[in-house]
Amino acid sequence: MSGTDGFDPDRVKCVVWDLDGTLWDEIAVESDTDALPTPRAGTLAAIDALAALGVLSSIASRSAPSVLERLEKAPALRSRFLAPQVSWQDKSESLRAIAKDLGIAVDALLLVDDSPYERAEVEALLPGVRTLAPEDVPALLAAFEGREVTPESRERVRRYRTEETRRAEGERFQGSREEFLRRCDMRLTVGAATPGEIPRALELAARTHRLNSSGLTPDRLRELAAAEGHELYTASMTDRFGEYGVIGAALVDRSAPGRWSVPLLALSCRVAGRGAAAAFLFRLMRRARERGVEEFRVTLRPTDANLEMRMLLRQAGLRRVDEPGDGASADSAVLGRSLHDELPEPPAWLRVTEREDAEA
């Protein structure tokens, strides 16, 4: 998809920039020296403006890998980009690699490239990815105007940098994956959302897809969270590398006697594979049982993206029980289970506390 017509900024987590003819005017590989071409000032300003909005930037360039080596030696430039790809492979393959490295869906990327051929190749092989020409960048920035920026958004680039450090250490670690996760000293804190966390919960509802149970819109989430008998919970996480911030949100409907219903469970893709989604869900189930609740339900709208969430709900013992409830769309189902049976435990490497416990 090209151009900005019908553009939804909430779907874009990372803008991927071409180099030659996009980030700078010249062709880097043809330079007589090791110095890189001078970047366009307007493009750098756009990258910095996007970073302030919580949008990441990366590079996909069909050029000699030596260009990336030169980029690594220019800290002021390299620091703007995460998971850059410079090789002779197709742009579509570079975008797949970037998405994998960042742990986000491919269709959360947007490509800016001066070449109509490269844009067409990506559009053909990755139809969910929007592409723009460099002259479309002002319209891209305009599409983000008025968007609420949460503290997590402002910290997103720094936190992905921390994730690069975390991933690099994991690759060097000689033990098992579980041993490395134990070494990370991960801690998840669950509690009722504070007023300052509500914008982040709305952001998670809008921007998460892999770990999103129902796709409830931010407006509907805000409406339900303010309704009687409803409560919004959040989960935040830290490890020895730093803070992840608020990485999960769950809306709980307690209006039916003896039952907790969850119209939305959403977690950041940054914590995929660490057990945080399971730990958050299991803690909510345990909290419900401690309050005398007998049945736990979750609204699920299956999508191509949320297979991981569907597997988690099945792992938690949830099975289809009823027609869609409050906040669900026509293509949703309601899954439920009894809380009288044994409840699953969070992963052994992840310490889970409630906010009241953490503050005690």
Side-chain angles (χ1 to χ4, degrees), residues 3 12 40 53 76 123 145 264 280 336 349:
V12 176
R40 296 170 176 171
L53 293 168
E123 291 166 15
E145 288 183 2
L264 175 76
F280 187 23
W349 61 78

Side-chain angles (χ1 to χ4, degrees), residues 95-154:
L95 265 61
R96 288 190 180 98
I98 290 167
K100 181 179 179 181
D101 282 353
L102 296 179
I104 62 179
V106 174
D107 59 7
L109 303 176
L110 181 149
L111 174 68
V112 179
D113 198 305
D114 68 306
S115 168
Y117 170 83
E118 301 290 4
R119 298 197 302 270
E121 189 265 339
V122 168
E123 291 166 15
L125 296 181
L126 302 175
V129 175
R130 187 174 291 272
T131 69
L132 300 178
E135 55 266 27
D136 295 324
V137 170
L140 169 67
L141 295 176
F144 283 94
E145 288 183 2
R147 177 180 169 193
E148 186 171 15
V149 182
T150 66
E152 278 76 12
S153 294
R154 288 189 288 270

Side-chain angles (χ1 to χ4, degrees), residues 37-323:
T38 301
R40 296 170 176 171
T43 303
L44 292 183
I47 292 168
D48 293 342
L50 289 167
L53 293 168
V55 180
L56 313 176
S57 283
S58 186
I59 289 171
S61 176
R62 279 168 51 85
S63 188
S66 59
V67 174
L68 181 57
E69 296 173 7
R70 290 153 63 186
L71 188 69
E72 295 284 356
K73 298 175 182 177
L77 190 57
R78 172 64 178 88
S79 64
R80 289 179 163 92
F81 302 106
L82 292 153
Q85 298 289 315
V86 180
S87 70
W88 296 115
Q89 67 183 353
D90 290 340
K91 286 285 175 75
S92 59
E93 289 302 314
S94 291
L95 265 61
R96 288 190 180 98
I98 290 167
K100 181 179 179 181
D101 282 353
L102 296 179
I104 62 179
V106 174
D107 59 7
L109 303 176
L110 181 149
L111 174 68
V112 179
D113 198 305
D114 68 306
S115 168
Y117 170 83
E118 301 290 4
R119 298 197 302 270
E121 189 265 339
V122 168
E123 291 166 15
L125 296 181
L126 302 175
V129 175
R130 187 174 291 272
T131 69
L132 300 178
E135 55 266 27
D136 295 324
V137 170
L140 169 67
L141 295 176
F144 283 94
E145 288 183 2
R147 177 180 169 193
E148 186 171 15
V149 182
T150 66
E152 278 76 12
S153 294
R154 288 189 288 270
E155 289 288 301
R156 186 168 290 125
V157 174
R158 183 184 64 79
R159 285 180 172 147
Y160 269 89
R161 286 261 171 246
T162 302
E163 182 60 25
E164 282 190 327
T165 302
R166 189 181 286 116
R167 184 174 63 250
E169 182 156 334
E171 291 172 353
R172 291 192 298 268
F173 188 70
Q174 296 299 310
S176 67
R177 170 70 173 169
E178 181 172 340
E179 289 171 335
F180 175 70
L181 292 173
R182 286 179 182 273
R183 185 180 177 187
C184 287
D185 189 25
M186 291 188 292
R187 302 176 182 227
L188 188 78
T189 303
V190 177
T194 65
E197 291 174 337
I198 291 177
R200 172 57 175 164
L202 300 176
E203 183 180 50
L204 285 167
R207 293 174 60 83
T208 60
H209 304 287
R210 286 175 62 187
L211 293 170
N212 188 314
S213 67
S214 68
L216 201 67
T217 66
D219 287 344
R220 184 60 173 152
L221 175 58
R222 189 192 300 272
E223 177 185 348
L224 289 173
E228 185 177 355
H230 292 70
E231 189 166 17
L232 187 62
Y233 287 87
T234 57
S236 57
M237 196 160 88
T238 66
D239 66 12
R240 69 184 182 86
F241 296 96
E243 296 184 359
Y244 290 80
V246 175
I247 50 83
L251 177 67
V252 173
D253 177 359
R254 300 175 300 178
S255 58
R259 179 195 303 161
W260 273 21
S261 297
V262 180
L264 175 76
L265 176 66
L267 290 102
S268 168
C269 58
R270 288 188 292 117
V271 297
R274 291 165 172 78
F280 187 23
L281 174 61
F282 300 165
R283 176 51 63 115
L284 289 174
M285 294 167 63
R286 190 166 299 278
R287 185 169 189 151
R289 186 166 72 178
E290 290 169 353
R291 284 154 178 74
V293 176
E294 298 178 348
E295 185 183 13
F296 190 90
R297 293 186 174 188
V298 176
T299 300
L300 172 67
R301 184 174 68 87
T303 69
D304 291 340
N306 71 357
L307 176 61
E308 192 171 346
M309 174 61 74
R310 285 182 274 157
M311 293 175 61
L312 169 61
L313 297 178
R314 176 163 288 274
Q315 175 191 352
L318 292 151
R319 303 292 182 268
R320 183 162 185 160
V321 296
D322 206 348
E323 294 303 312

